[in-house]
């Protein structure tokens, strides 16, 4: 289970934090590290010093340019966030996250990514909207700032506790009934959805009113299976084909959307 949990660091600015993260991961039995557009040289003397014998994780780390590349094969993506957002997203605690991991990873093809942002500004809203859920470490509100490696250590600890609990359980975790859609498949679906909504006149990119963000939140909360996502994309394709042969004064869709008008 632990082998299929990936730690993703975005825009890290200090090599020591990459080394400290590698040490925290190795302490808890994690080994999959991805670095997204690091703002420093990942492997330096400081990295090796802070890794304290875990620098092999840094040597094996994959460096990519975008979050999408780092989590394309993952079925659950959780972003670490300490800030409240204008659009609420499913929020969990480190303990609750750990408790759900055995079921999430019961399918051997499943992958989980735990995403951490920049030391100075965390994750952007766009990056957080690409996560199924957000995890918040309940620190002292009077002194809530955590070192990046320390934050990784907290979540890595909960991952290990979940793994140990699974080893001690008399019954294995129940396997999922069907493969969940991966991050890459979900991103292709969202691109297809937005293109279709624009094509039928329901979505105006110039006045988005958080429509796509809300649809992202709804879809990611539902955790669609791969087959379900294929069905939805088939519906979108049929909608596009039908729109091509429909009169130009087609309905805006108000009747089907309740109190949500186009573009909201």
């Amino acid at each position: 289970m632990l082998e299929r949990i990936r730690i993703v660091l975005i825009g890290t600015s200090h090599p020591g934090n990459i080394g400290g993260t590698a040490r925290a991961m190795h302490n808890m039995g994690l080994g999959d590290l991805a670095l997204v557009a690091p703002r420093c040289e990942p492997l330096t003397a400081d990295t090796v010093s802070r890794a304290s014998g875990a620098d092999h994780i840094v040597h094996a780390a994959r460096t990519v340019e975008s979050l999408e590349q780092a989590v394309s094969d993952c079925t659950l993506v959780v972003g670490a966030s300490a800030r409240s957002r204008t659009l609420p997203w499913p929020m969990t605690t480190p303990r609750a996250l750990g408790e759900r991991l055995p079921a999430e990873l019961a399918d051997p093809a499943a992958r989980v990514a735990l995403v951490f942002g920049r030391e100075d500004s965390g994750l952007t809203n766009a990056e957080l909207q690409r996560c199924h859920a957000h995890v918040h470490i309940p620190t002292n509100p009077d002194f809530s700032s955590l070192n990046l490696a320390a934050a990784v250590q907290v979540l890595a600890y909960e991952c290990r506790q979940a793994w140990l609990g699974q080893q001690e359980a008399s019954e294995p975790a129940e396997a999922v009934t069907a493969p969940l859609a991966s991050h890459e498949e979900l991103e292709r679906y969202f691109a297809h959805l937005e293109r279709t909504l624009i094509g039928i006149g329901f979505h105006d990119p110039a006045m988005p009113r958080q429509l796509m963000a809300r649809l992202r939140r709804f879809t990611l909360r539902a955790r669609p299976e791969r087959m379900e996502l294929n069905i939805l994309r088939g519906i979108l394709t049929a909608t596009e084909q039908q729109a091509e042969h429909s009169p130009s004064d087609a309905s805006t869709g108000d009747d089907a959307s309740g109190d949500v008008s186009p573009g909201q």
Side-chain angles (χ1 to χ4, degrees), residues 98-122:
E99 290 172 350
R100 69 185 284 188
L101 287 178
E104 290 286 350
L105 292 166
D107 181 350
R111 297 287 185 277
V112 171
L114 306 180
V115 184
F116 298 82
R118 303 150 190 84
E119 295 97 328
D120 53 353
S121 59

Side-chain angles (χ1 to χ4, degrees), residues 221-252:
R221 188 171 63 228
R223 307 299 309 287
E225 297 171 358
R226 182 172 296 150
M227 178 60 70
E228 293 170 335
L229 207 65
N230 288 339
I231 292 171
L232 291 175
R233 293 202 64 184
I235 293 172
L236 293 177
T237 298
T239 300
E240 290 176 317
Q241 294 171 345
Q242 184 67 25
E244 291 177 0
H245 300 91
S246 297
S248 59
D249 60 347
S251 170
T252 60

Side-chain angles (χ1 to χ4, degrees), residues 9 21 45 68 74 91 101 122 124-125 127 138-139 183 190 199 264:
L9 304 184
T21 292
E68 287 77 7
C74 294
M91 182 70 75
L101 287 178
T124 66
N125 285 337
E127 289 161 350
T139 55
H183 178 87
F190 288 131
Q264 285 187 332

Side-chain angles (χ1 to χ4, degrees), residues 48-98:
V48 174
S49 175
R50 287 284 303 279
S52 298
D55 51 291
H56 64 281
I57 291 179
V58 184
H59 281 281
R62 189 161 58 103
T63 300
V64 296
E65 291 301 316
S66 69
L67 174 59
E68 287 77 7
Q69 290 174 294
V71 301
S72 62
D73 61 337
C74 294
T75 50
L76 177 67
V77 181
V78 181
S81 175
R83 295 179 290 170
S84 60
R85 304 287 169 161
T86 56
L87 183 62
W89 216 259
M91 182 70 75
T92 189
T93 64
R95 184 63 46 86
L97 173 62

Side-chain angles (χ1 to χ4, degrees), residues 213-227:
R214 292 181 185 278
L215 290 174
R216 275 182 174 275
R217 180 178 61 175
F218 166 76
T219 305
L220 293 175
R221 188 171 63 228
R223 307 299 309 287
E225 297 171 358
R226 182 172 296 150
M227 178 60 70

